[in-house]
Amino acid sequence: MNSLADLPRTTDIAGQPNAAKPAVRIDGVSKAFGDVTALHEAWLAVGRGEFLTLLGPSGCGKTTILNLIAGFLEADSGEIFLDGAPITNDPAHKRQIGIVFQNYALFPHMTVEKNVGYGLRMRGVDKTEIARRVGEALELVKLPGYGGRRPRELSGGQQQRIALARALVIRPKVLLLDEPFSALDKNLRSAMQVELKEIQRSLGVSTVFVTHDQSEALSMSDRIAVMSAGRIRQIAAPGEIYRAPADRFVASFVGDTNIFQATRVSPTSVIVGGFLIDVMPGPLEGTIDGQEVELFARPEELSLTSAGAPGTLPAEVVTKVYQGGYSDFYVTTPLAAERVLVRIHGPAALELWPEGAKIGLVLPKTGANAFPPGE
Amino acid sequence: MAQPADRPFLRLFVTPSVLVAGGFIASLAVILQYSLRAHIPGELEPGGFSLGNFTDMLKPLYARAFVDTVLICAETAFFTLLLAYPLAFALVRAKSPFLKSLLLVTAVTPLFLGEIVRTYSWIIVLGNTGFVNSVLRGLGLIDQPIQMMFTKFGVVVALVHVTLPVMVIMLSAAISHIDRDYEKAAASLGASPVRTFLTVTLPLSLPGIIAGVTTSFAWTFSAFATPQLIGGGQVSTISTLVYQLGFANFNFPFAAALSFAGLVFTIMVIALLRRAARPLEKMGGHA
Ligand SMILES: Nc1ncnc2c1ncn2[C@@H]1O[C@H](COP(=O)(O)OP(=O)(O)O)[C@@H](O)[C@H]1O
Ligand SMILES: [Mg+2]
């Protein structure tokens, strides 16, 4: 049906299934700018049709990775593959990669039609074919009939869609998006997130998406690569990143978390305030039994009950915030250096404990994570 | 916006420029009234009211000077642009700070040479026994010197040197405002560096090109020392004719009329170029 759907994703040039080859592979790529190492030996593979997100704080090297894939930067070392072929030394214009820039970068001196058709003109596609494919692309982003407009006559969201159409119309081997929604207001951003996800799925285009917004990453991605200071800390599905973060950085950057003083009793269990808690295996390797460690628990893994109930930590309510479907309680307890956030679903909880009330804090028996103490 | 009356300090700032502008307008008015009076041969004082100066301007000699002046201005603007664009582009895009400074110094030095010094240096370069001819002769490429002094070619070469710095500065301002993401987008869509330049960078620098060409045009239209000294009377422009009429023939009314016509003509050309540039101005930089 839609010719945009015949992306080179399921067969290679010879018509052979090549699902085994990742769309993009980055093998030990490093990049430094003078003294600043923007990327330390990154290893990454983006599967066919996969939506992979690079998540991390500003300056951690996300854009650097995109620029390396796109060919705007040269790697200091390592190798980059596109559909299994090395492209490390190919110039940007020979790579067939679609890019959506943060500020859209629509050519201001061209109409929407000319913008979207630009990549096809550069490829020498004939005029009628260009018109057909531009029409399809505009339909795909739900802006048919906008071909004659100028970019400055469009709203931010519309410019975004045109930028997406322009990148997709060349049937890119991989689609790169660098914080595409950061300039949009909250409602428009959610709408665009859903729409991008739908388009990405329907075309099955392999995608690398960059954001510093952890909730955006969790909601859109097939997998997330969490980065910090030029290093990829963990690559995993959103659920796994959230439930089993690989280190303290990932645990605190993705989602809300609370930190309690704990003592290791085995590689998979700790004691907090006299209670034994099973934790995810892995992060405690390298520590010894009896060592002081820290327990990370998500707000929704905690609950509150009346003070002094067996199996609870003594705590006191500092503030509570009604959030609609749930309520956030901020409580203090001697076992946590900072205020603890407890998220309780349902409207009833708000009535139960006034601010200043002594309560019992219930820790999860399993499922939390413990890490060696950090700075 | 607050009224000027609300901000008394504005008066302090505006007063000097009002005085200067007043002086200019008064002198223009004097020139205008001169231009509308008859010339009495042998007399410095002009005669009574007459439109004769303006009808005389249609004579082939003067009409030709207009056409020649416009051609010189257009050629100068064109060749300045051709030279200045690569310089400005390299100036903006060069990575090494040393190269940047070197280019900047090369490009703007002519600004700091006085008009007379600069013009005499060109006489040394272009003369029949000058630098260019000596080198060509030394290399055995020519037997007879190539005539460059007292030709339109020589005048244009020297004028290009005059307008180059301003053109480079205006073009680099325009080029530096082009967001590099446009070029990256073009490359990602399959445009080679040359096609990226032709389809994206060059069109986006058009506002700067128009501004530079306009300035160069207006500037060379009024240039006097260069066409006078290099042209040596063989190249007539409006400015050299005004000088000749005023100070050789003492025909002040006609000189005034010619200056006035030149001024109006320049304003018209600038207005025209501005108009052509208007849709382009909204284009540069961020959409
Ligand atoms: N062209 C450059 N020159 C010098 N340093 C750069 C350049 N590009 C990026 N950097 C540095 O590299 C690091 C990573 O940058 P970047 O990849 O843009 O981060 P992010 O996109 O995650 O915010 C930062 O410290 C940044 O200052
Ligand atoms: Mg970035």
Side-chain angles (χ1 to χ4, degrees):
Chain A
M1 30 145 275
N2 197 328
S3 69
L4 273 169
D6 4 304
L7 287 158
R9 70 186 190 280
T10 45
T11 54
D12 65 15
I13 298 150
Q16 298 299 311
N18 57 3
K21 287 183 198 156
V24 179
R25 207 174 88 212
I26 293 176
D27 278 7
V29 169
S30 299
K31 179 71 194 175
F33 299 101
D35 295 341
V36 183
T37 307
L39 203 61
H40 297 267
E41 253 199 60
W43 297 79
L44 182 72
V46 185
R48 301 251 148 193
E50 184 180 32
F51 192 114
L52 182 127
T53 297
L54 303 176
L55 170 68
S58 170
C60 70
K62 308 181 294 291
T63 301
T64 301
I65 292 191
L66 285 200
N67 282 334
L68 286 163
I69 298 175
F72 301 140
L73 285 178
E74 258 175 69
D76 294 340
S77 61
E79 192 86 55
I80 301 172
F81 300 87
L82 196 60
D83 283 350
I87 54 158
T88 318
N89 299 315
D90 289 356
H93 68 279
K94 299 227 169 108
R95 293 193 179 190
Q96 198 169 352
I97 287 174
I99 307 180
V100 175
F101 293 86
Q102 184 172 357
N103 58 4
Y104 322 128
L106 294 176
F107 306 127
H109 56 301
M110 294 180 199
T111 59
V112 163
E113 199 169 17
K114 292 275 185 238
N115 263 283
V116 177
Y118 187 87
L120 299 176
R121 287 204 300 285
M122 292 304 126
R123 285 172 171 70
V125 176
D126 77 67
K127 272 197 179 139
T128 49
E129 173 75 357
I130 292 180
R132 191 178 66 77
R133 280 166 68 176
V134 167
E136 272 172 14
L138 289 178
E139 205 125 315
L140 182 77
V141 297
K142 303 199 179 112
L143 288 175
Y146 277 69
R149 306 235 189 151
R150 293 270 169 174
R152 66 167 176 279
E153 296 163 355
L154 303 177
S155 70
Q158 289 170 333
Q159 291 188 34
Q160 180 81 78
R161 287 157 198 248
I162 298 302
L164 186 60
R166 183 178 70 175
L168 287 172
V169 81
I170 62 167
R171 297 172 188 163
K173 291 178 177 160
V174 60
L175 176 67
L176 310 178
L177 303 104
D178 196 352
E179 315 218 10
F181 305 139
S182 59
L184 304 179
D185 67 51
K186 196 164 170 286
N187 289 336
L188 190 52
R189 186 186 309 189
S190 323
M192 285 300 302
Q193 285 169 356
V194 173
E195 200 161 315
L196 172 64
K197 193 64 221 201
E198 280 173 10
I199 290 173
Q200 190 269 336
R201 269 220 196 98
S202 72
L203 299 179
V205 57
S206 315
T207 301
V208 181
F209 181 90
V210 162
T211 183
H212 61 260
D213 178 342
Q214 47 98 14
S215 71
E216 188 167 86
L218 289 173
S219 66
M220 298 187 73
S221 321
D222 294 326
R223 283 190 308 152
I224 300 174
V226 184
M227 297 181 64
S228 128
R231 291 177 199 278
I232 297 178
R233 298 303 191 97
Q234 184 174 14
I235 308 177
E240 194 182 339
I241 296 270
Y242 190 78
R243 277 193 324 272
D247 60 25
R248 296 175 59 93
F249 174 81
V250 177
S252 36
F253 191 77
V254 180
D256 295 316
T257 197
N258 299 293
I259 305 176
F260 298 90
Q261 294 147 29
T263 308
R264 173 180 147 153
V265 291
S266 84
T268 60
S269 58
V270 298
I271 283 182
V272 179
F275 304 113
L276 185 68
I277 293 170
D278 290 334
V279 295
M280 296 289 189
L284 289 186
E285 278 168 21
T287 58
I288 53 165
D289 289 351
Q291 187 176 332
E292 292 295 308
V293 293
E294 288 177 336
L295 179 82
F296 282 56
R298 300 290 184 192
E300 67 278 4
E301 291 176 323
L302 302 172
S303 62
L304 301 177
T305 185
S306 36
T312 64
L313 302 178
E316 186 182 324
V317 177
V318 182
T319 318
K320 53 186 184 175
V321 183
Y322 179 59
Q323 301 276 22
Y326 59 91
S327 300
D328 282 342
F329 284 77
Y330 292 90
V331 307
T332 52
T333 170
L335 286 159
E338 307 210 354
R339 290 196 304 185
V340 172
L341 170 62
V342 184
R343 187 159 290 160
I344 297 182
H345 285 265
L350 206 63
E351 313 295 324
L352 282 176
W353 301 289
E355 283 164 9
K358 304 272 185 235
I359 41 108
L361 176 64
V362 186
L363 294 180
K365 294 212 159 38
T366 61
N369 292 275
F371 299 102
E375 62 292 345
Chain B
M1 271 267 272
Q3 293 299 309
D6 299 340
R7 293 179 289 174
F9 69 90
L10 261 187
R11 228 172 282 163
L12 201 70
F13 288 151
V14 169
T15 309
S17 38
V18 167
L19 287 177
V20 172
F24 275 127
I25 290 169
S27 27
L28 277 178
V30 171
I31 293 179
L32 182 61
Q33 72 90 19
Y34 256 103
S35 71
L36 293 171
R37 294 171 69 177
H39 171 57
I40 305 164
E43 295 267 343
L44 280 184
E45 264 308 301
F49 176 82
S50 152
L51 285 175
N53 295 319
F54 287 96
T55 48
D56 280 354
M57 236 178 269
L58 300 173
K59 284 183 188 158
L61 171 68
Y62 302 113
R64 240 202 89 101
F66 255 96
V67 172
D68 278 350
T69 309
V70 169
L71 282 178
I72 287 174
C73 291
E75 282 167 31
T76 304
F78 177 77
F79 288 111
T80 308
L81 180 63
L82 230 53
L83 269 178
Y85 200 100
L87 265 175
F89 194 81
L91 181 61
V92 172
R93 298 294 172 85
K95 290 213 174 74
S96 126
F98 172 76
L99 188 59
K100 260 189 194 318
S101 330
L102 187 74
L103 284 167
L104 187 66
V105 169
T106 314
V108 303
T109 311
L111 269 186
F112 303 118
L113 299 174
E115 196 176 8
I116 303 296
V117 172
R118 195 174 47 215
T119 309
Y120 274 107
S121 351
W122 277 113
I123 293 177
I124 293 168
V125 173
L126 298 175
N128 281 356
T129 54
F131 177 75
V132 174
N133 276 317
S134 318
V135 168
L136 290 179
R137 238 200 289 209
L139 293 172
L141 293 174
I142 51 169
D143 303 324
Q144 293 298 310
I146 300 172
Q147 182 66 38
M148 286 177 288
M149 279 303 291
F150 316 125
T151 65
K152 207 173 89 183
F153 171 80
V155 172
V156 169
V157 167
L159 284 176
V160 165
H161 192 217
V162 177
T163 51
L164 191 69
V166 171
M167 187 81 95
V168 168
I169 288 166
M170 288 183 139
L171 288 176
S172 21
I175 294 168
S176 67
H177 278 105
I178 299 174
D179 191 333
R180 299 297 294 274
D181 280 354
Y182 293 131
E183 290 163 5
K184 287 186 179 179
S188 76
L189 292 166
S192 64
V194 171
R195 295 188 83 178
T196 299
F197 176 79
L198 291 177
T199 57
V200 175
T201 317
L202 190 62
L204 289 180
S205 49
L206 263 181
I209 292 177
I210 302 253
V213 165
T214 312
T215 310
S216 156
F217 198 95
W219 207 347
T220 37
F221 200 92
S222 60
F224 170 68
T226 308
Q228 177 75 9
L229 295 175
I230 308 244
Q234 304 299 306
V235 180
S236 291
T237 68
I238 300 299
S239 315
T240 60
L241 270 185
V242 167
Y243 177 81
Q244 203 182 322
L245 285 166
F247 298 98
N249 306 354
F250 298 105
N251 185 347
F252 290 136
F254 193 50
L258 207 53
S259 318
F260 205 77
L263 183 67
V264 170
F265 187 80
T266 313
I267 291 172
M268 270 167 29
V269 169
I270 292 174
L272 213 74
L273 285 170
R274 274 278 174 88
R275 223 190 144 72
R278 206 175 300 150
L280 303 170
E281 252 147 33
K282 296 180 196 140
M283 209 172 68
H286 301 271

